[in-house]
Structure formats: C-alpha cells, structure tokens
Amino acid sequence: EQMRQIDHYTINEIGIPSIVLMENAKAQISKHILDKKFDKAYVFASVGNNGGDGLAVARDIYNTENDLIVDSIFGTGLKRDIEGIYKDVIDMINDTQAFVVSVDMPSGLDSDENKIHNVAVKADLLVTLQLPKKSLQDYDGEYVVETIGIPEKSIKHVLNNAS
C-alpha cells in the first residue's frame, strides 16, 4: 500500500509522469532479460500499471524470439483470490518450462503479507521495483530490486506519514 502511495505522490505532487516511471521500470526489467537466449517470448499483462510495465517490456523483446514468459498480470494492488481465466493463465505459466520473470510481484502473491491469493506465478526471477515489498522478507525465490526514478522525497513523505 505504501508503494502505491509513493507512486501517487510522485506522479501527482512531484509531477513525474507515470509514463516516465513505466519506461524506467521497463528498462530495469529488460536489462535482466535481453542478454538471455530463448526461442519464444510471451508477455501476460492485465490492466493497470503492472500490465503497462509488461507491455513496455514486450516492446524490447518483440523480435528476440526468446523462450521466456514475462508475468505482469497483477501487481501490488491485488487483494482478492485469483479465479477464472486469470487462474487458468497462471496455471499454464506454472506448467511451462519457460524462464519466467515476474514484474514487481509474482502475480497472485500479496505484497503486504506472505500470502498467496489462491494461486501464484512461480517466477525464476522477480524484478521488484523501487523498494522491496513487505512480503519479500520471507520470499525464497531469486529477486532483485531496481529503482525507477521515484524521488527520495516521495518515499520519505509516505513512510513518515504512515500510521
């Protein structure tokens, strides 16, 4: 929740456009992908900022034909169980042999609590953005934290006002 507040403050109070943060996120995620060699690439994205990050990454990998899946279906805002087509897609991702990179959080994992919302992507690599999320304290997969240009002022504003 704090990360979402930091994003909101950065965009609305500092004045950094969300598209700039998204392009910065894309660059940080892509640097972990583009040097790997695969046969096919798939990007699963949904609505919202996380989906936008995934679509931006898709631009970078478009003609690489990597055997890669980029998971950007759900991000830090997920607070409900995953059902229907979203569950089917996550099950399909988990059944593949592809290298799976999740954007910010593996879809289905709660960012505030170490809790799975019915099903979660099993990522080979998690690229979490700007700050480590609370639930990553107990995360046993490989992850990196990459900055996306959010000013320290935004982070301090939210964290200092947290109740």
Side-chain angles (χ1 to χ4, degrees), residues 2-3 5-6 9 131 151-163:
Q2 290 172 331
M3 193 64 230
Q5 291 174 12
I6 290 167
Y9 184 84
L131 296 170
E152 189 67 25
K153 178 179 178 179
S154 296
I155 296 167
K156 287 181 179 176
H157 173 81
V158 170
L159 297 182
N160 290 338
N161 291 315
S163 51

Side-chain angles (χ1 to χ4, degrees), residues 4 15 29 31 40 43-44 48 51-52 71-72 75 85 95 99 101 105 116 156 162:
R4 291 179 342 122
I29 296 160
K31 76 181 186 183
K40 300 175 186 169
V43 176
F44 293 92
D71 157 39
S72 63
I85 192 169
D95 286 342
F99 188 84
V101 177
M105 291 296 298
I116 293 175
K156 287 181 179 176

Side-chain angles (χ1 to χ4, degrees), residues 29 50 53-54 70-72 74-75 101-106 126-127 129:
I29 296 160
N50 207 57
D53 293 341
V70 176
D71 157 39
S72 63
F74 296 109
V101 177
S102 286
V103 174
D104 213 17
M105 291 296 298
L126 165 61
V127 181
L129 304 172

